[in-house]
Amino acid sequence: MIEDHFKDKFKHKIYYEDPEEFTVKLSDGCEQLVSTYMRNPATFPKGGYDPIYYFSLLDISNSQAFTQSGIKLFTFKMQDFFDAAVNIYAAKGITVWDTGSLTFNISKAIKKLLRKTIKPRQAE
């Protein structure tokens, strides 16, 4: 996850401050204590998010696109997704969480409107 990659430099604070400890049973039957940070839903950015639009911003190719039970689905290589997500955050500060914000959506709507009104000149 890019939030883990950027750690304290990640602009959205989505984890509880202190880690939680859990006992897990390993495949050999032994138990082990693990510590992990849990996501805190109260700190998620307001406005939700638009993962489909975010994936299109990443410009990653999907290996399969299909509709299942009326839901559009696609697959891609996780390394391609991770690399693209890290790059767009480092360059533009955009995460999937930003795609649901009012500011982001107004900006997206303005760009779409401009693309419709400013048409490229035809070569003469």
Short mmCIF file of all heavy atoms in Angstrom, two decimals, residues 52-109:
data_model
loop_
_atom_site.label_atom_id
_atom_site.label_comp_id
_atom_site.label_asym_id
_atom_site.label_seq_id
_atom_site.Cartn_x
_atom_site.Cartn_y
_atom_site.Cartn_z
N ILE A 52 -12.37 3.71 -9.76
CA ILE A 52 -12.29 3.53 -11.22
C ILE A 52 -11.61 4.74 -11.86
O ILE A 52 -10.74 4.60 -12.72
CB ILE A 52 -13.69 3.29 -11.82
CG1 ILE A 52 -14.34 2.04 -11.23
CG2 ILE A 52 -13.60 3.19 -13.35
CD1 ILE A 52 -13.57 0.74 -11.43
N TYR A 53 -11.98 5.94 -11.42
CA TYR A 53 -11.34 7.14 -11.96
C TYR A 53 -9.86 7.16 -11.57
O TYR A 53 -9.00 7.50 -12.36
CB TYR A 53 -12.04 8.40 -11.47
CG TYR A 53 -11.44 9.65 -12.07
CD1 TYR A 53 -11.64 9.95 -13.42
CD2 TYR A 53 -10.66 10.51 -11.31
CE1 TYR A 53 -11.07 11.08 -13.98
CE2 TYR A 53 -10.10 11.64 -11.87
CZ TYR A 53 -10.31 11.92 -13.21
OH TYR A 53 -9.74 13.03 -13.77
N TYR A 54 -9.56 6.78 -10.35
CA TYR A 54 -8.17 6.74 -9.89
C TYR A 54 -7.35 5.79 -10.74
O TYR A 54 -6.25 6.12 -11.16
CB TYR A 54 -8.13 6.33 -8.42
CG TYR A 54 -6.75 6.24 -7.84
CD1 TYR A 54 -5.95 7.37 -7.69
CD2 TYR A 54 -6.23 5.02 -7.41
CE1 TYR A 54 -4.69 7.30 -7.13
CE2 TYR A 54 -4.96 4.94 -6.86
CZ TYR A 54 -4.20 6.08 -6.72
OH TYR A 54 -2.94 6.00 -6.18
N PHE A 55 -7.88 4.61 -11.02
CA PHE A 55 -7.14 3.65 -11.84
C PHE A 55 -6.89 4.22 -13.24
O PHE A 55 -5.83 4.00 -13.82
CB PHE A 55 -7.88 2.32 -11.94
CG PHE A 55 -7.94 1.57 -10.64
CD1 PHE A 55 -9.07 0.84 -10.31
CD2 PHE A 55 -6.89 1.58 -9.74
CE1 PHE A 55 -9.14 0.14 -9.10
CE2 PHE A 55 -6.94 0.89 -8.54
CZ PHE A 55 -8.07 0.16 -8.22
N SER A 56 -7.84 4.99 -13.77
CA SER A 56 -7.62 5.59 -15.09
C SER A 56 -6.54 6.66 -15.03
O SER A 56 -5.79 6.84 -15.99
CB SER A 56 -8.92 6.17 -15.66
OG SER A 56 -9.30 7.34 -14.96
N LEU A 57 -6.42 7.37 -13.91
CA LEU A 57 -5.34 8.35 -13.75
C LEU A 57 -3.98 7.68 -13.73
O LEU A 57 -2.98 8.26 -14.17
CB LEU A 57 -5.50 9.12 -12.42
CG LEU A 57 -6.62 10.14 -12.33
CD1 LEU A 57 -6.65 10.73 -10.92
CD2 LEU A 57 -6.44 11.24 -13.35
N LEU A 58 -3.92 6.47 -13.21
CA LEU A 58 -2.65 5.76 -13.11
C LEU A 58 -2.14 5.30 -14.46
O LEU A 58 -0.97 4.99 -14.61
CB LEU A 58 -2.78 4.57 -12.17
CG LEU A 58 -3.13 4.89 -10.72
CD1 LEU A 58 -3.22 3.62 -9.91
CD2 LEU A 58 -2.12 5.84 -10.11
N ASP A 59 -3.02 5.25 -15.43
CA ASP A 59 -2.64 4.84 -16.79
C ASP A 59 -1.94 3.48 -16.79
O ASP A 59 -0.84 3.33 -17.31
CB ASP A 59 -1.77 5.91 -17.44
CG ASP A 59 -1.63 5.68 -18.94
OD1 ASP A 59 -2.56 5.11 -19.55
OD2 ASP A 59 -0.58 6.06 -19.49
N ILE A 60 -2.58 2.52 -16.14
CA ILE A 60 -2.05 1.15 -16.15
C ILE A 60 -2.93 0.31 -17.06
O ILE A 60 -4.13 0.51 -17.12
CB ILE A 60 -1.99 0.54 -14.73
CG1 ILE A 60 -3.33 0.62 -14.02
CG2 ILE A 60 -0.91 1.20 -13.91
CD1 ILE A 60 -3.36 0.00 -12.65
N SER A 61 -2.31 -0.58 -17.76
CA SER A 61 -3.09 -1.41 -18.67
C SER A 61 -3.68 -2.58 -17.89
O SER A 61 -3.05 -3.12 -16.99
CB SER A 61 -2.23 -1.92 -19.82
OG SER A 61 -1.17 -2.69 -19.31
N ASN A 62 -4.92 -2.89 -18.23
CA ASN A 62 -5.52 -4.06 -17.59
C ASN A 62 -5.37 -5.25 -18.51
O ASN A 62 -5.30 -5.11 -19.71
CB ASN A 62 -6.98 -3.80 -17.19
CG ASN A 62 -7.86 -3.52 -18.38
OD1 ASN A 62 -7.97 -4.34 -19.27
ND2 ASN A 62 -8.49 -2.36 -18.39
N SER A 63 -5.28 -6.39 -17.89
CA SER A 63 -5.11 -7.60 -18.69
C SER A 63 -6.44 -8.24 -19.03
O SER A 63 -6.52 -9.07 -19.91
CB SER A 63 -4.21 -8.59 -17.96
OG SER A 63 -4.76 -8.90 -16.71
N GLN A 64 -7.48 -7.83 -18.32
CA GLN A 64 -8.80 -8.39 -18.60
C GLN A 64 -9.85 -7.43 -18.04
O GLN A 64 -9.74 -6.97 -16.91
CB GLN A 64 -8.94 -9.75 -17.93
CG GLN A 64 -10.24 -10.45 -18.24
CD GLN A 64 -10.34 -11.82 -17.58
OE1 GLN A 64 -9.61 -12.11 -16.65
NE2 GLN A 64 -11.24 -12.63 -18.04
N ALA A 65 -10.82 -7.08 -18.84
CA ALA A 65 -11.93 -6.25 -18.40
C ALA A 65 -13.22 -7.00 -18.72
O ALA A 65 -13.36 -7.54 -19.81
CB ALA A 65 -11.91 -4.90 -19.10
N PHE A 66 -14.14 -7.05 -17.76
CA PHE A 66 -15.38 -7.78 -17.98
C PHE A 66 -16.44 -7.28 -17.01
O PHE A 66 -16.15 -6.55 -16.07
CB PHE A 66 -15.16 -9.29 -17.80
CG PHE A 66 -14.58 -9.67 -16.46
CD1 PHE A 66 -15.40 -10.09 -15.42
CD2 PHE A 66 -13.21 -9.61 -16.24
CE1 PHE A 66 -14.87 -10.45 -14.20
CE2 PHE A 66 -12.66 -9.97 -15.02
CZ PHE A 66 -13.49 -10.39 -13.99
N THR A 67 -17.66 -7.65 -17.27
CA THR A 67 -18.78 -7.30 -16.39
C THR A 67 -19.32 -8.58 -15.78
O THR A 67 -19.59 -9.55 -16.48
CB THR A 67 -19.88 -6.56 -17.17
OG1 THR A 67 -19.32 -5.38 -17.74
CG2 THR A 67 -21.03 -6.19 -16.26
N GLN A 68 -19.45 -8.58 -14.47
CA GLN A 68 -19.98 -9.74 -13.74
C GLN A 68 -21.12 -9.24 -12.85
O GLN A 68 -20.91 -8.35 -12.04
CB GLN A 68 -18.87 -10.36 -12.89
CG GLN A 68 -19.29 -11.57 -12.09
CD GLN A 68 -19.44 -12.81 -12.95
OE1 GLN A 68 -18.73 -12.98 -13.93
NE2 GLN A 68 -20.36 -13.66 -12.60
N SER A 69 -22.31 -9.78 -13.05
CA SER A 69 -23.49 -9.39 -12.26
C SER A 69 -23.72 -7.88 -12.30
O SER A 69 -24.07 -7.27 -11.31
CB SER A 69 -23.34 -9.86 -10.81
OG SER A 69 -23.19 -11.26 -10.76
N GLY A 70 -23.46 -7.27 -13.46
CA GLY A 70 -23.69 -5.85 -13.63
C GLY A 70 -22.58 -4.96 -13.08
O GLY A 70 -22.70 -3.74 -13.10
N ILE A 71 -21.51 -5.55 -12.60
CA ILE A 71 -20.41 -4.78 -12.03
C ILE A 71 -19.22 -4.85 -12.98
O ILE A 71 -18.82 -5.93 -13.41
CB ILE A 71 -20.00 -5.34 -10.64
CG1 ILE A 71 -21.19 -5.26 -9.68
CG2 ILE A 71 -18.80 -4.58 -10.09
CD1 ILE A 71 -20.95 -6.00 -8.39
N LYS A 72 -18.66 -3.67 -13.33
CA LYS A 72 -17.50 -3.64 -14.20
C LYS A 72 -16.26 -4.03 -13.39
O LYS A 72 -15.97 -3.43 -12.36
CB LYS A 72 -17.31 -2.25 -14.80
CG LYS A 72 -18.39 -1.86 -15.76
CD LYS A 72 -18.16 -0.48 -16.32
CE LYS A 72 -19.30 -0.09 -17.25
NZ LYS A 72 -19.12 1.26 -17.76
N LEU A 73 -15.55 -5.03 -13.86
CA LEU A 73 -14.35 -5.52 -13.18
C LEU A 73 -13.18 -5.54 -14.15
O LEU A 73 -13.37 -5.59 -15.36
CB LEU A 73 -14.59 -6.94 -12.66
CG LEU A 73 -15.76 -7.12 -11.70
CD1 LEU A 73 -16.04 -8.59 -11.49
CD2 LEU A 73 -15.48 -6.44 -10.38
N PHE A 74 -11.98 -5.49 -13.61
CA PHE A 74 -10.79 -5.62 -14.43
C PHE A 74 -9.65 -6.15 -13.58
O PHE A 74 -9.71 -6.12 -12.35
CB PHE A 74 -10.42 -4.30 -15.10
CG PHE A 74 -10.19 -3.17 -14.13
CD1 PHE A 74 -8.92 -2.89 -13.65
CD2 PHE A 74 -11.24 -2.39 -13.71
CE1 PHE A 74 -8.70 -1.86 -12.77
CE2 PHE A 74 -11.05 -1.35 -12.83
CZ PHE A 74 -9.77 -1.08 -12.35
N THR A 75 -8.63 -6.64 -14.23
CA THR A 75 -7.46 -7.15 -13.53
C THR A 75 -6.23 -6.40 -14.03
O THR A 75 -6.25 -5.84 -15.13
CB THR A 75 -7.27 -8.65 -13.79
OG1 THR A 75 -7.03 -8.86 -15.17
CG2 THR A 75 -8.46 -9.46 -13.33
N PHE A 76 -5.21 -6.36 -13.22
CA PHE A 76 -3.95 -5.75 -13.60
C PHE A 76 -2.85 -6.33 -12.73
O PHE A 76 -3.13 -6.98 -11.72
CB PHE A 76 -3.99 -4.22 -13.48
CG PHE A 76 -4.46 -3.73 -12.14
CD1 PHE A 76 -3.60 -3.66 -11.05
CD2 PHE A 76 -5.77 -3.33 -11.96
CE1 PHE A 76 -4.04 -3.21 -9.81
CE2 PHE A 76 -6.22 -2.88 -10.74
CZ PHE A 76 -5.35 -2.82 -9.66
N LYS A 77 -1.61 -6.08 -13.12
CA LYS A 77 -0.48 -6.55 -12.32
C LYS A 77 -0.29 -5.62 -11.13
O LYS A 77 -0.23 -4.41 -11.29
CB LYS A 77 0.79 -6.57 -13.16
CG LYS A 77 0.75 -7.59 -14.27
CD LYS A 77 2.04 -7.55 -15.07
CE LYS A 77 1.94 -8.55 -16.22
NZ LYS A 77 3.08 -8.41 -17.11
N MET A 78 -0.21 -6.18 -9.93
CA MET A 78 -0.08 -5.38 -8.72
C MET A 78 1.18 -4.51 -8.74
O MET A 78 1.15 -3.38 -8.27
CB MET A 78 -0.08 -6.26 -7.46
CG MET A 78 -1.47 -6.63 -6.99
SD MET A 78 -2.60 -5.23 -6.75
CE MET A 78 -1.80 -4.29 -5.47
N GLN A 79 2.27 -5.01 -9.30
CA GLN A 79 3.49 -4.20 -9.33
C GLN A 79 3.29 -2.96 -10.20
O GLN A 79 3.75 -1.87 -9.84
CB GLN A 79 4.69 -5.02 -9.84
CG GLN A 79 6.01 -4.29 -9.67
CD GLN A 79 6.37 -4.07 -8.20
OE1 GLN A 79 6.43 -5.00 -7.43
NE2 GLN A 79 6.59 -2.82 -7.82
N ASP A 80 2.56 -3.11 -11.32
CA ASP A 80 2.26 -1.95 -12.17
C ASP A 80 1.42 -0.93 -11.41
O ASP A 80 1.66 0.28 -11.48
CB ASP A 80 1.50 -2.38 -13.43
CG ASP A 80 2.34 -3.20 -14.38
OD1 ASP A 80 3.57 -3.26 -14.21
OD2 ASP A 80 1.75 -3.80 -15.31
N PHE A 81 0.41 -1.42 -10.68
CA PHE A 81 -0.45 -0.54 -9.88
C PHE A 81 0.36 0.18 -8.82
O PHE A 81 0.28 1.40 -8.67
CB PHE A 81 -1.58 -1.34 -9.23
CG PHE A 81 -2.29 -0.58 -8.15
CD1 PHE A 81 -3.16 0.44 -8.46
CD2 PHE A 81 -2.08 -0.88 -6.81
CE1 PHE A 81 -3.81 1.16 -7.46
CE2 PHE A 81 -2.72 -0.18 -5.82
CZ PHE A 81 -3.59 0.85 -6.15
N PHE A 82 1.16 -0.55 -8.06
CA PHE A 82 1.93 0.04 -6.98
C PHE A 82 2.89 1.10 -7.51
O PHE A 82 2.95 2.22 -6.99
CB PHE A 82 2.69 -1.03 -6.20
CG PHE A 82 3.50 -0.47 -5.07
CD1 PHE A 82 2.89 -0.12 -3.88
CD2 PHE A 82 4.87 -0.29 -5.21
CE1 PHE A 82 3.63 0.42 -2.83
CE2 PHE A 82 5.62 0.25 -4.16
CZ PHE A 82 5.00 0.60 -2.98
N ASP A 83 3.63 0.77 -8.56
CA ASP A 83 4.60 1.72 -9.12
C ASP A 83 3.90 2.99 -9.62
O ASP A 83 4.37 4.10 -9.37
CB ASP A 83 5.38 1.07 -10.27
CG ASP A 83 6.31 -0.04 -9.81
OD1 ASP A 83 6.61 -0.12 -8.59
OD2 ASP A 83 6.72 -0.84 -10.66
N ALA A 84 2.77 2.83 -10.31
CA ALA A 84 2.03 3.99 -10.83
C ALA A 84 1.45 4.81 -9.69
O ALA A 84 1.48 6.05 -9.73
CB ALA A 84 0.93 3.52 -11.77
N ALA A 85 0.93 4.16 -8.65
CA ALA A 85 0.36 4.88 -7.50
C ALA A 85 1.44 5.67 -6.76
O ALA A 85 1.22 6.82 -6.36
CB ALA A 85 -0.33 3.90 -6.56
N VAL A 86 2.61 5.08 -6.57
CA VAL A 86 3.72 5.78 -5.92
C VAL A 86 4.14 6.98 -6.76
O VAL A 86 4.34 8.08 -6.24
CB VAL A 86 4.91 4.82 -5.67
CG1 VAL A 86 6.18 5.58 -5.33
CG2 VAL A 86 4.56 3.83 -4.56
N ASN A 87 4.24 6.79 -8.07
CA ASN A 87 4.67 7.87 -8.96
C ASN A 87 3.69 9.04 -8.98
O ASN A 87 4.10 10.19 -8.92
CB ASN A 87 4.89 7.35 -10.38
CG ASN A 87 6.10 6.46 -10.48
OD1 ASN A 87 7.01 6.53 -9.66
ND2 ASN A 87 6.12 5.59 -11.47
N ILE A 88 2.38 8.77 -9.06
CA ILE A 88 1.41 9.87 -9.12
C ILE A 88 1.32 10.59 -7.77
O ILE A 88 1.11 11.80 -7.72
CB ILE A 88 0.02 9.41 -9.63
CG1 ILE A 88 -0.78 10.62 -10.10
CG2 ILE A 88 -0.73 8.65 -8.56
CD1 ILE A 88 -2.04 10.27 -10.85
N TYR A 89 1.54 9.87 -6.68
CA TYR A 89 1.54 10.54 -5.37
C TYR A 89 2.79 11.40 -5.21
O TYR A 89 2.71 12.54 -4.77
CB TYR A 89 1.45 9.53 -4.23
CG TYR A 89 1.38 10.22 -2.89
CD1 TYR A 89 0.23 10.90 -2.50
CD2 TYR A 89 2.47 10.24 -2.03
CE1 TYR A 89 0.16 11.55 -1.29
CE2 TYR A 89 2.41 10.90 -0.82
CZ TYR A 89 1.25 11.56 -0.45
OH TYR A 89 1.19 12.22 0.74
N ALA A 90 3.94 10.88 -5.61
CA ALA A 90 5.18 11.64 -5.50
C ALA A 90 5.16 12.88 -6.40
O ALA A 90 5.63 13.95 -6.00
CB ALA A 90 6.38 10.75 -5.85
N ALA A 91 4.59 12.76 -7.59
CA ALA A 91 4.59 13.86 -8.55
C ALA A 91 3.47 14.88 -8.32
O ALA A 91 3.67 16.08 -8.43
CB ALA A 91 4.50 13.31 -9.97
N LYS A 92 2.26 14.37 -7.99
CA LYS A 92 1.09 15.26 -7.94
C LYS A 92 0.34 15.24 -6.61
O LYS A 92 -0.63 15.97 -6.43
CB LYS A 92 0.11 14.89 -9.06
CG LYS A 92 0.70 15.06 -10.45
CD LYS A 92 -0.31 14.71 -11.52
CE LYS A 92 0.30 14.88 -12.90
NZ LYS A 92 -0.67 14.56 -13.95
N GLY A 93 0.74 14.35 -5.70
CA GLY A 93 0.05 14.27 -4.41
C GLY A 93 -1.35 13.69 -4.49
O GLY A 93 -2.18 13.95 -3.63
N ILE A 94 -1.63 12.90 -5.53
CA ILE A 94 -2.97 12.34 -5.72
C ILE A 94 -3.00 10.91 -5.21
O ILE A 94 -2.15 10.09 -5.54
CB ILE A 94 -3.37 12.36 -7.21
CG1 ILE A 94 -3.47 13.80 -7.71
CG2 ILE A 94 -4.71 11.64 -7.42
CD1 ILE A 94 -3.70 13.90 -9.21
N THR A 95 -4.02 10.62 -4.40
CA THR A 95 -4.28 9.26 -3.93
C THR A 95 -5.72 8.91 -4.28
O THR A 95 -6.51 9.79 -4.66
CB THR A 95 -4.12 9.13 -2.40
OG1 THR A 95 -5.22 9.77 -1.76
CG2 THR A 95 -2.82 9.73 -1.92
N VAL A 96 -6.10 7.66 -4.12
CA VAL A 96 -7.48 7.27 -4.36
C VAL A 96 -8.41 8.05 -3.43
O VAL A 96 -9.54 8.37 -3.79
CB VAL A 96 -7.68 5.74 -4.21
CG1 VAL A 96 -7.53 5.29 -2.78
CG2 VAL A 96 -9.02 5.31 -4.79
N TRP A 97 -7.93 8.41 -2.24
CA TRP A 97 -8.77 9.13 -1.28
C TRP A 97 -9.12 10.52 -1.77
O TRP A 97 -10.14 11.08 -1.41
CB TRP A 97 -8.08 9.22 0.07
CG TRP A 97 -7.65 7.91 0.61
CD1 TRP A 97 -6.36 7.48 0.80
CD2 TRP A 97 -8.49 6.82 1.02
NE1 TRP A 97 -6.35 6.20 1.29
CE2 TRP A 97 -7.65 5.77 1.43
CE3 TRP A 97 -9.87 6.63 1.06
CZ2 TRP A 97 -8.13 4.55 1.89
CZ3 TRP A 97 -10.34 5.42 1.51
CH2 TRP A 97 -9.49 4.40 1.92
N ASP A 98 -8.27 11.12 -2.61
CA ASP A 98 -8.53 12.47 -3.11
C ASP A 98 -9.66 12.50 -4.13
O ASP A 98 -10.29 13.53 -4.32
CB ASP A 98 -7.26 13.04 -3.77
CG ASP A 98 -6.14 13.21 -2.77
OD1 ASP A 98 -6.37 13.82 -1.72
OD2 ASP A 98 -5.03 12.71 -3.05
N THR A 99 -9.92 11.40 -4.82
CA THR A 99 -10.88 11.40 -5.93
C THR A 99 -12.32 11.59 -5.47
O THR A 99 -13.19 11.81 -6.31
CB THR A 99 -10.78 10.10 -6.75
OG1 THR A 99 -11.08 8.99 -5.91
CG2 THR A 99 -9.39 9.94 -7.35
N GLY A 100 -12.59 11.54 -4.18
CA GLY A 100 -13.94 11.77 -3.69
C GLY A 100 -14.12 13.16 -3.10
O GLY A 100 -15.23 13.55 -2.76
N SER A 101 -13.04 13.94 -3.00
CA SER A 101 -13.14 15.27 -2.38
C SER A 101 -13.85 16.24 -3.31
O SER A 101 -13.78 16.13 -4.54
CB SER A 101 -11.76 15.81 -2.01
OG SER A 101 -11.07 16.21 -3.18
N LEU A 102 -14.51 17.23 -2.73
CA LEU A 102 -15.22 18.24 -3.51
C LEU A 102 -14.24 19.00 -4.41
O LEU A 102 -14.50 19.20 -5.59
CB LEU A 102 -15.95 19.20 -2.58
CG LEU A 102 -16.75 20.31 -3.25
CD1 LEU A 102 -17.82 19.73 -4.15
CD2 LEU A 102 -17.37 21.22 -2.20
N THR A 103 -13.10 19.40 -3.87
CA THR A 103 -12.11 20.14 -4.65
C THR A 103 -11.64 19.34 -5.85
O THR A 103 -11.57 19.85 -6.97
CB THR A 103 -10.90 20.50 -3.77
OG1 THR A 103 -11.35 21.26 -2.65
CG2 THR A 103 -9.85 21.27 -4.54
N PHE A 104 -11.36 18.07 -5.64
CA PHE A 104 -10.89 17.21 -6.72
C PHE A 104 -11.96 17.06 -7.79
O PHE A 104 -11.68 17.13 -8.98
CB PHE A 104 -10.47 15.85 -6.17
CG PHE A 104 -9.72 15.01 -7.16
CD1 PHE A 104 -8.35 15.14 -7.30
CD2 PHE A 104 -10.37 14.09 -7.95
CE1 PHE A 104 -7.65 14.37 -8.22
CE2 PHE A 104 -9.68 13.32 -8.87
CZ PHE A 104 -8.31 13.47 -9.00
N ASN A 105 -13.20 16.85 -7.38
CA ASN A 105 -14.28 16.65 -8.34
C ASN A 105 -14.63 17.91 -9.11
O ASN A 105 -14.98 17.85 -10.28
CB ASN A 105 -15.51 16.05 -7.66
CG ASN A 105 -15.31 14.57 -7.40
OD1 ASN A 105 -14.93 13.83 -8.30
ND2 ASN A 105 -15.54 14.14 -6.18
N ILE A 106 -14.51 19.07 -8.48
CA ILE A 106 -14.72 20.34 -9.20
C ILE A 106 -13.63 20.50 -10.24
O ILE A 106 -13.90 20.84 -11.39
CB ILE A 106 -14.77 21.53 -8.22
CG1 ILE A 106 -16.07 21.49 -7.42
CG2 ILE A 106 -14.63 22.85 -8.97
CD1 ILE A 106 -16.16 22.51 -6.31
N SER A 107 -12.40 20.23 -9.85
CA SER A 107 -11.27 20.31 -10.78
C SER A 107 -11.47 19.35 -11.96
O SER A 107 -11.24 19.71 -13.12
CB SER A 107 -9.97 20.00 -10.05
OG SER A 107 -8.90 19.90 -10.94
N LYS A 108 -11.91 18.13 -11.67
CA LYS A 108 -12.16 17.13 -12.71
C LYS A 108 -13.25 17.61 -13.66
O LYS A 108 -13.12 17.49 -14.88
CB LYS A 108 -12.54 15.80 -12.04
CG LYS A 108 -12.74 14.65 -12.99
CD LYS A 108 -12.90 13.31 -12.27
CE LYS A 108 -14.22 13.18 -11.60
NZ LYS A 108 -14.48 11.83 -11.07
N ALA A 109 -14.31 18.21 -13.12
CA ALA A 109 -15.42 18.69 -13.95
C ALA A 109 -14.98 19.86 -14.83
O ALA A 109 -15.36 19.94 -16.00
CB ALA A 109 -16.59 19.10 -13.06
#
